Amino acid sequence: MKKLLLVGNWKSHKTLQEAHTFMIAFLNNSFIEWLHTHAENEDKSKRIIICPPILLIPDLDRMLEQIQAKIPIDLGVQDISPFPIGSHTGEVAASEIVGLAKYVIVGHSERRKEFGETDELVFQKVNAAKESGLEPIFCVQGKDTAVPEGIKIVAYEPIGAIGSAHPDDPQHAESVAAFFKEEKHIPFVLYGGSITAENVSLYTTKPHIDGVLVGGASLDPTSFSEIIQRA
Ligand code: PGA
């Protein structure tokens, strides 16, 4: 059975009120019923991961806990400090996240570009995450991106495809995914960049692509739930 990871990256979007409104619409009865019936079918199981702005994590964690039924939705953060707890103004250490979120996105091209994150820094962040038991979702921009040892989830996100309405050619994305799975032995390779409900299955049906990292289209509850259903 193929396991798909369907990750929503909200980036720096949504106030607390907007996040509540999203969750109420997203977790409507018919979608929860659909999840129960289809999230574990014979050909693929689907795990949903939402990565909101870090300030929203405790509230969303409580909302998810209140849902009686066990549904496969986890939370992730979009960044992590490379340092342990200590005097590092403005940073949030991995050990402060544990218990609230399971995943952390590391090495996104927006952080590399806007905050000058280098390979060395993202490697430190991966170490910090792993020491606390958080699972890094490690973003690569192509086959040349250096990947630290022990990474289990890689997200291939070509820069030109992000937020551009010009997703990578599915066959090309598949060949990059095959490279990371076969040559680098990465267990899960996701594709990200301009994923929509209309195009998601072109990627998730490819043999080496194990899911998607979705930015813009994860902000709307209807489009994100359609992506999950059509993946
Ligand atoms: P996009 O963003 O889906 O809006 O293209 C993807 C990402 O940056 O993770």
Side-chain angles (χ1 to χ4, degrees):
M1 176 161 70
K2 185 167 172 176
K3 184 169 167 185
L4 289 180
L5 304 183
L6 307 165
V7 188
N9 173 12
W10 285 3
K11 308 189 179 183
S12 190
H13 289 281
K14 293 198 192 295
T15 63
L16 184 54
Q17 187 53 48
E18 287 165 348
H20 275 201
T21 308
F22 173 97
M23 282 309 217
I24 289 162
F26 182 61
L27 300 172
N28 63 65
N29 289 345
S30 69
F31 183 56
I32 293 194
E33 203 172 299
W34 181 90
L35 276 173
H36 278 140
T37 333
H38 295 279
E40 297 280 344
N41 72 23
E42 329 62 78
D43 2 286
K44 34 188 185 188
S45 76
K46 295 180 180 177
R47 176 152 293 277
I48 303 159
I49 302 165
I50 296 178
C51 302
I54 199 160
L55 197 56
L56 305 180
I57 292 269
D59 264 81
L60 296 189
D61 182 50
R62 266 194 299 279
M63 277 190 90
L64 289 171
E65 255 177 24
Q66 276 160 15
I67 297 167
Q68 296 298 316
K70 195 166 162 26
I71 48 172
I73 300 183
D74 286 313
L75 292 173
V77 291
Q78 301 169 17
D79 186 31
I80 204 73
S81 175
F83 302 115
I85 278 188
S87 302
H88 309 290
T89 301
E91 292 291 82
V92 181
S95 58
E96 294 172 294
I97 303 295
V98 171
L100 293 168
K102 289 189 183 163
Y103 297 88
V104 53
I105 298 172
V106 182
H108 193 284
S109 58
E110 287 162 5
R111 294 212 58 87
R112 289 180 186 260
K113 181 166 167 256
E114 295 174 359
F115 302 94
E117 292 197 1
T118 58
D119 284 346
E120 192 189 350
L121 183 65
V122 298
F123 276 44
Q124 282 171 12
K125 290 185 176 202
V126 164
N127 284 341
K130 289 208 301 209
E131 273 165 22
S132 289
L134 295 179
E135 192 63 58
I137 299 172
F138 190 81
C139 298
V140 300
Q141 290 71 52
K143 289 183 188 172
D144 295 342
T145 308
V147 179
E149 285 295 308
I151 286 290
K152 294 199 187 114
I153 308 170
V154 151
Y156 164 52
E157 298 210 312
I159 292 174
I162 295 178
S164 65
H166 297 296
D168 200 24
D169 170 59
Q171 200 48 49
H172 181 256
E174 159 65 10
S175 70
V176 177
F179 168 81
F180 280 105
K181 289 196 80 144
E182 281 165 14
E183 315 262 326
K184 303 285 179 186
H185 310 293
I186 307 290
F188 292 95
V189 182
L190 317 183
Y191 166 74
S194 298
I195 282 291
T196 62
E198 287 68 41
N199 66 20
V200 65
S201 66
L202 299 176
Y203 298 88
T204 51
T205 50
K206 293 279 183 275
H208 295 92
I209 296 181
D210 305 295
V212 283
L213 178 51
V214 189
S218 73
L219 294 172
D220 175 71
T222 308
S223 74
F224 194 43
S225 63
E226 275 177 18
I227 285 172
I228 293 159
Q229 291 174 71
R230 295 196 202 174

